[in-house]
Amino acid sequence: MHTVAYKDLREFIALVEEAGSLRRIAGASALHEIGAITEVAAGMPDPPALLFDKIPGFAHGFRVFSNATTSLQRAALALGFDAETTPLEALKAWKSRRNELKPIPPRVVKDAPFLEHTSWGADVDLRQYPAPHWHKLDGGPYIGSGSLIITRDPDSGWINAAIYRVQVHGHNKVTIQFDHTGRHGSMIARKYWEKGKSCPVAIVNGQDPALFIAGFEYLPAEQSEYDFAGSIKGFPIDVVDGPVTGLPIPAGAEIVLEGELLPLSMESLSEGPFGEFTGYYAADAKPAPVMVVQASYHRTDPILFGSPPLKPPRFHFGLPFRAATLWSGLEQLGVTDVTGVWQHVSQLMTVVSLKQRYAGHAKRAALIAAANSYMGRIVVVVDDDIDPSNLADVMWAVTTRAEPSEQVDIVRNAWSSALDPRIPLASKQVGLTSHSKMIIDACRPFDQLESYPKTTALSIKDAQATFAKWGRFLQK
């Protein structure tokens, strides 16, 4: 059975440091500086992971970890495989593994390190944790930019553990923002509220990267993120029953908050604004449900896991996991000879490469990709000699193979989100959050495959073989 090499966030950080990819930063302020350094580092050609310590105004040993999986190598490390290959081959390896994953249910244990330090009721003070004010125009400090929000469906008992943002409001209150009412966490909370009850919630700040990936995935309802993370790791996730809520909490967590999410009719607080993954503020502050924190727990010298949305192309992951899901979906729907799928600009642009077998082959793939590209406005289809992960290669195909008057199509009223900065506020307020998508067929015309001018460039296979033989002389 495949297994990853880490059990919790601390072991992952140790692996990152061993690989030479960790930078330790002392003395940076939680007010804007940690966020600014995180953004600058994420924009570097080989973005390092960051561990912030000695944060002014907070107890020594309280730390923040950011840019955990922003590089290809660390994203692959989180999945437990070697990334010493091309980006597309790494994604292909993940696609193959993902298709074969078997759920591994969590294992209940009796104790957890995060119970070393506990606060209850009136003693809870969230201000002890160095929650960063990530962007200058954010509405406040966010303890949850990469946090796992755990809820239980009151009808089926299904546990949902997904990523939602969490803003701190004073010593014992936070708000949870669910993005939209179709998210599983929101649907579960409303089931409690409709019965006149508060929703029990546990917030995990400092889970291991396999759980971060699982929480980021769009898993179907009733599927467990714990089972998915266990299948990534090759062994069960250890969980402990929360003392207040009884919810299963990862035993390896760093910081945990337990409490109740109140109905909006009972209490709300102004949440946001918050910088989004598009690189814009999508909305002003608005009312959000309040969680009253009844207990907080943390390990000795706790590490807050931060993964703030940043201006593209900076993204949470150096490997576009959802592109692998889309690639598998194309194959399952019978689109043959897909040689690669990639997403650029933080998933807002999807590229599909394929070997054309018939007229309309490229358009068929493009329409399916467009229908399943969340918020993406641009879908490009290229021939199999183009590496879809290489944006320069893709744009070469667009500028030399696509005739705009013949190979560009617009699909209207397609899947988007209120996070889209281009959708007018008035439309968002009435739930109109669709937009158009541009499809660019950057393939050689099917009837000209044989007669189209030959390229001077090495084939992908030849380029890889050349690098394998001579690459060590080209790198430092």
Side-chain angles (χ1 to χ4, degrees), residues 149-152 160 164-167 169 172-179 183-203 244-245 247 257-269 271 287-294:
I149 313 302
I150 304 169
T151 53
R152 175 185 279 115
N160 181 242
Y164 305 111
R165 75 190 195 211
V166 181
Q167 183 177 349
H169 299 267
N172 73 335
K173 291 183 179 181
V174 300
T175 50
I176 299 176
Q177 209 268 16
F178 288 116
D179 297 341
R183 297 295 297 271
H184 292 150
S186 175
M187 292 189 288
I188 288 173
R190 290 202 310 273
K191 286 187 177 184
Y192 286 91
W193 298 344
E194 288 166 0
K195 297 175 182 179
K197 300 179 179 180
S198 297
C199 176
V201 177
I203 298 176
V244 172
T245 63
L247 291 165
L257 313 178
E258 278 196 291
E260 294 184 333
L261 191 64
L262 306 178
L264 279 166
S265 59
M266 182 179 297
E267 184 177 1
S268 66
L269 286 171
E271 195 273 347
V290 174
M291 175 188 175
V292 177
V293 180
Q294 298 166 321

Side-chain angles (χ1 to χ4, degrees), residues 25-36:
I25 310 292
S29 171
L31 180 64
H32 304 152
E33 279 193 324
I34 288 178

